[in-house]
Amino acid sequence: MSAICLIRKFSMKSPSRFHRSLLFSTFSKESPPDLARNASIRRPYSSSISGQRFVSPSIWRFTQPNWISEKTRSISVFSIRDFSTSIETIATDKSFERIQVQSGLIVEKIHRNEEETLDESVSKIDVKEIEKSGDEIVETIIGGKVREESEAEKEAWRILENAVVRYCGSPVGTVAANDPGDKLPLNYDQVFIRDFVPSALAFLLKGDGDIVRNFLLHTLQLQSWEKTVDCYSPGQGLMPASFKVRTVALDENTTEEVLDPDFGESAIGRVAPVDSGLWWIILLRAYGKITGDFSLQERIDVQTGIKLIMNLCLADGFDMFPTLLVTDGSCMIDRRMGIHGHPLEIQSLFYSALRCSREMLSVNDRSKDLVRAINNRLSALSFHIREYYWVDIKKINEIYRYKTEEYSTDATNKFNIYPEQIPPWLMDWIPEQGGYLLGNLQPAHMDFRFFSLGNFWSIVSSLGTPKQNEAILNLVEAKWDDIIGNMPLKICYPALEYDDWRIITGSDPKNTPWSYHNSGSWPTLLWQFTLACMKMGRPELAEKALALAEKRLMADRWPEYYDTRSGKFIGKQSRLYQTWTVAGFLTSKLLLANPEMASLLFWEEDYELLDICACGLRKSDRKKCSRVAAKTQILVR
C-alpha cells in the first residue's frame, strides 16, 4: 500500500496580503518503500491530461477527514524562500518521496489501494522550524491540526454529489433542486446552464473535470437543435435554458436515453434565456484555466459554437447603444420585474463573454472580422457602462440638476432623464465613499435599484474601473444590513412595493415585496461576491458573509432563497436542497482557501480598450464621439 501526501498551508487572505512559501514534505521511514516508484504527478495546469483527469493544487476536500494512518508517524517540514508553480516528484530516495508544492501547507492522502484502512485520528504536524527572511515570514502552527471540513461542508458535498445527472452512464450536470418532499418539481428536476456554473466550479476546484467537460459538449450539441415557438424560430446560436434526460421506448424491449432541451418554449412567459450562452462561454474559459486542458476550446465544433453565440449577440439591429437589448425575464430574474431594456446583469455577462471569446477564438481569415467586431464592442461597452451607468453621491447631485429636452450632440443629459426620477430613498441611502452601477438605462429611464449579480460580475470582469469596483464594495460594507442582513445576499435593493409592485410585476404573487426576485436573499450569490472581494484584495468581507450563511444553511436545509427585508425567513415558495445554494457555498469555501485558483477566474483591467474606438475609423464631420472628451474621467490606476 502506498500513498502520496501533498502539504499545503491554508490561508484565508488574498495573495496580495501574504507571502507564499514552498515546503518539502518527508514521510517517516516507516512509510512504504514503493512510494518512489509512483512518480507520475503532472503539472496541475498542463494540457497533457490523461482521460481528462488532472491534479489540482486546490484539492482540499476530504471525503474522509480522519485519513492519516498510524504508519505515518511524523512529517518534517522545511521552509524554502523560492516560489514555484509546479508540483514535482523527486524520486531519488527509495524510502520516501519529496513533493514540491505551491502556496503553503495542507495534507491530502491520495490512495492507490482502496482497501487501505484509515485511522480514526488525525495526525498532528510536527513543526521543525520557523524561518524569517527579511520581510518574509514563513510560519506553521506548532502542534496544529490539518484543517478539516465542517459538518455543513460535508453535507453540502453529499447533496451536490446526489444531484448529479447522468446521461448514457456519464455525468452531465446537476439538477436545480433535489428536495425529497417536493411532489411537484416543475422544472427543478432539470439541468440549468446558469444554475450549473457554481456546481461546475466546485467540481473543477476539487479536481473533477469530467462532468464539466461532458456538460459543455452536450449543451453545445443542443445548440444546433431546431427551436420553434408558434411557427417562429429564433436565431442560430441560442443555448437552452435547461435540459432533462428522458428515457424513450424504441420498441417493446429497447429504450434509449435522450436529452430534452428547453429553449424557452416551455418556460414561464416563453422568454429566451439570453444569459445561457454567455454563461456557457464563461464556463468554457474557466474549464481551460483551471484544468489546463485547452484542447477543448480549440475543437472545431466548440469554436463554431462560440462564433454562433457571438454572431447572435453582435447582430445589427435598431439599437443606438452598445448594450444588449433584452426582454424582461431573460436572465437569473426570469419573471417580470421591470428589467427589460439594458439590464446590468446581462451587460456584465455580455462583456465577460466578449473577453472570453476574444481570448479563446483562433484568429484566421474566417474569424478576423468577428474578432475585430468583438474588440470594437468591448471598447464601446466598457465606456458606455463606466460613463453612464455609474452613480455615486456626486453623480446623483449632477442628475438632480439636469436640464431636460436638450437637442444637441453636446447634450449633458444625453438620455433625457428627468430629475424627478431620483427616488427619495436614494438621497439618504447612498454613502459618501461608495457607489454602484445602475440596474438599467434607456431613454428617459434610469433604474436606481442596486442589482447584486450585475455589480459583482462587473468587478470580476473589470467592466467597472478599479475605483468604481472599490466603491461598490465600500457601498456593500456601509450598507451591510440592507444587502447582506441575516442571510447573504439581496438579489436587488430595495423591493418594489405598493403601486410599483402592482404595475411593474403585474401583481406577481411570487414576487411580493422582499421575496424571491423582488429583493429576496439568495445564498447562491455568495460565490460571485467572494470572487469580487478576492479580486479587490478584501476577502474578509466574503469570509464574514460566508460565516453568516454557514450558521443557517444546513439547519434550514439549503433553501433557494430567503424572505423579508433582512432575510430572516425561509422563502415562502423556496425549494429546499437547492443545488446552486449548496454549490455557491462550497465554491466560496474553495475560492477562499485557494486564492491562486480564484485569480484564474477574474479579469484585470484591459488598458488597450481605452484607446480603441470605432469612430476613429469613420470620416464624418457629423459624428462626434464623447469618448475623447470624457476619457480623462475614466478612473484607472
Side-chain angles (χ1 to χ4, degrees), residues 176-194:
N178 201 14
D179 185 355
D182 188 1
K183 304 302 181 184
L184 190 64
L186 296 178
N187 58 353
Y188 282 81
D189 60 350
Q190 299 188 22
V191 180
F192 282 79
I193 287 185
R194 81 172 67 93

Side-chain angles (χ1 to χ4, degrees), residues 32 72 84 87 101 145 150 155 166 172 215 233 249 262 280 289 403 486 499 509:
T72 307
S84 173
I87 298 179
V101 183
K145 283 189 176 181
S150 65
E155 180 175 281
R166 295 185 177 275
V172 293
F215 170 85
S233 297
D262 175 17
W280 185 87
K289 285 285 188 178
K403 295 179 181 179
N486 290 306
D499 288 341

Side-chain angles (χ1 to χ4, degrees), residues 484-541:
I484 306 296
N486 290 306
M487 175 57 67
L489 286 118
K490 286 293 180 191
I491 192 171
C492 64
Y493 181 90
L496 297 171
E497 299 181 286
Y498 310 112
D499 288 341
D500 286 339
W501 170 72
R502 282 189 287 271
I503 294 169
I504 294 176
T505 73
S507 301
D508 186 347
K510 193 169 184 177
N511 272 332
T512 53
W514 310 106
S515 179
Y516 202 50
H517 296 142
N518 192 7
S519 201
S521 298
W522 292 70
T524 186
L525 294 172
L526 271 169
W527 77 268
Q528 291 103 331
F529 179 57
T530 298
L531 201 54
C533 291
M534 296 186 72
K535 178 187 174 181
M536 301 308 297
R538 301 178 67 178
E540 67 281 354
L541 292 179

Side-chain angles (χ1 to χ4, degrees), residues 379-440:
S379 175
L381 182 60
S382 65
F383 171 77
H384 186 85
I385 297 295
R386 294 175 177 193
E387 183 71 10
Y388 303 124
Y389 273 64
W390 180 252
V391 287
D392 54 16
I393 196 164
K394 179 181 177 181
K395 183 67 174 182
I396 293 171
N397 198 8
E398 181 184 326
I399 298 171
Y400 183 72
R401 292 170 52 82
Y402 266 171
K403 295 179 181 179
T404 59
E405 316 303 332
E406 293 181 287
Y407 182 79
S408 169
T409 56
D410 297 326
T412 300
N413 186 3
K414 291 181 173 62
F415 300 92
N416 200 35
I417 303 298
Y418 299 107
E420 289 75 16
Q421 288 188 23
I422 302 175
W425 63 266
L426 184 61
M427 301 288 199
D428 297 324
W429 189 76
I430 191 81
E432 291 283 345
Q433 302 301 319
Y436 64 101
L437 295 168
L438 290 168
N440 209 328

